[in-house]
Amino acid sequence: MAPSFDHTAQTVCVMDASAHLGFALVHTLLHRGYTVHASFQTQGEDMLKGISTDPNKLKIFRSDPFDYQSIMDSLKGCSALFYSFQPPSDQPDYDEYMADVEVRAAHNVLEACAQTETIEKVVFTSSATAVVWREDRKTMELDLDERHWSDVNFCRKFKLWHAMSKTMAEKTAWALAMDRGMNMVSINAGLLMSPDLSISNPYLRGAAEMYEDGVFVTVDLPFLVDAHICVYEDVSSYGRYLCFNHIINTQDDALRLARILTPDAASSLPQREECGKSFIEQRISNKKLNKLMVDFEA
């Protein structure tokens, strides 16, 4: 059950605040009474105009995950960081080099947190792709959950660059957090069903295999935001949390998603009568998060 601490006395940092998750987190945290340091990697401050009636509750920062001092400036006086990686504007696509970029960013951010005395907790946004890609995934007796990690060599072999980057960055963050004695939790989110979701989303590489394996999960933005705040506010939270509230495991689900991604995609999917199996058994579990959120008040 979440602790009854005074939100109005809490100052937290959201980095990067320009993406869908970051912006929604800033909005919700302000609504709950927090003072928020909204940190932008690129221009986006105009998004937050009028979001807070109290100018003292919202402070805007420009930080670069590769500029250590700018991270420190954003974190000054904060008790927590909500961190999610945004690819640099000059390197927006996930390729074999993105892992190095994301790992360096994670290292810099966690090191800055370790050097900021007021930071009590880090909520690190990762991905379900850092869980599901393993050589033995089809022969495992147990469902996939937070105890499992994607195999970096497997990801590299099949050019699953998003999964490789998320896995390596999260492992870097955990190694540094444990070495520095920091309190960190990670949210391993499913595919975010954002308004601008398209077929080019790097999470979707290997989507057909995830569907066949029963591990193709998605998450709505409000649920993802609530999960982040819940794991921060609940003092009993620990480790990793798989976060999703829907699984794509029927032909109807797959067709519905295909129509969202691109109007032409639906025609390339097999019709129902061509499929040997219309329902795929779910092989991934989010019980740990669901149990934590039972008493959470959004």
Side-chain angles (χ1 to χ4, degrees), residues 143-161:
D143 290 347
L144 286 167
D145 61 20
E146 293 84 0
R147 294 168 294 181
H148 299 105
W149 286 89
S150 290
D151 184 323
V152 170
N153 291 327
F154 181 88
C155 294
R156 185 179 288 111
K157 178 180 178 181
F158 292 100
K159 300 182 179 180
L160 299 162
W161 306 128

Side-chain angles (χ1 to χ4, degrees), residues 7-213:
H7 297 166
T8 61
Q10 299 284 318
T11 299
V12 298
C13 178
V14 176
M15 182 187 303
D16 183 289
S18 62
H20 290 295
L21 172 60
F23 178 78
L25 271 171
V26 171
H27 184 275
T28 305
L29 288 163
L30 286 169
H31 183 71
R32 291 176 77 85
Y34 289 92
T35 297
V36 179
H37 288 191
S39 178
F40 290 87
Q41 182 176 321
T42 57
Q43 290 184 349
E45 298 91 333
D46 291 345
M47 297 167 53
L48 298 179
K49 281 186 176 179
I51 196 173
S52 176
T53 55
D54 183 353
N56 296 318
K57 282 288 187 180
L58 176 63
K59 296 182 180 179
I60 308 296
F61 292 83
R62 181 71 64 83
S63 66
D64 182 337
F66 309 106
D67 179 352
Y68 187 76
Q69 188 56 50
S70 71
I71 304 171
M72 293 290 290
D73 292 342
S74 299
L75 295 175
K76 189 175 182 180
C78 291
S79 59
L81 169 67
F82 294 86
Y83 173 72
S84 58
F85 174 76
Q86 281 298 109
S89 56
D90 60 347
Q91 191 179 346
D93 300 320
Y94 272 83
D95 54 24
E96 64 265 44
Y97 305 110
M98 184 59 80
D100 291 335
V101 175
E102 192 160 353
V103 165
R104 282 193 293 121
H107 182 277
N108 289 344
V109 169
L110 266 293
E111 184 61 45
C113 287
Q115 298 300 324
T116 303
E117 292 184 355
T118 54
I119 291 290
E120 299 173 353
K121 200 168 194 176
V122 177
V123 181
F124 186 95
T125 308
S126 185
S127 173
T129 60
V131 173
V132 302
W133 290 111
R134 302 161 54 91
E135 193 85 55
D136 62 351
R137 68 191 192 282
K138 294 181 183 295
T139 57
M140 291 174 57
E141 293 184 5
L142 299 175
D143 290 347
L144 286 167
D145 61 20
E146 293 84 0
R147 294 168 294 181
H148 299 105
W149 286 89
S150 290
D151 184 323
V152 170
N153 291 327
F154 181 88
C155 294
R156 185 179 288 111
K157 178 180 178 181
F158 292 100
K159 300 182 179 180
L160 299 162
W161 306 128
H162 183 269
M164 187 176 84
S165 294
K166 294 301 179 185
T167 304
M168 292 176 66
E170 189 189 347
K171 283 192 171 185
T172 296
W174 276 116
L176 195 53
M178 288 186 283
D179 182 63
R180 300 290 193 273
M182 284 186 289
N183 183 9
M184 186 180 106
V185 290
S186 66
I187 295 287
N188 293 79
L191 175 67
L192 178 58
M193 299 302 290
S194 58
D196 59 352
L197 180 64
S198 73
I199 196 69
S200 64
N201 190 299
Y203 186 108
L204 291 166
R205 187 171 183 89
E209 288 81 3
M210 285 190 285
Y211 172 75
E212 292 168 4
D213 293 344

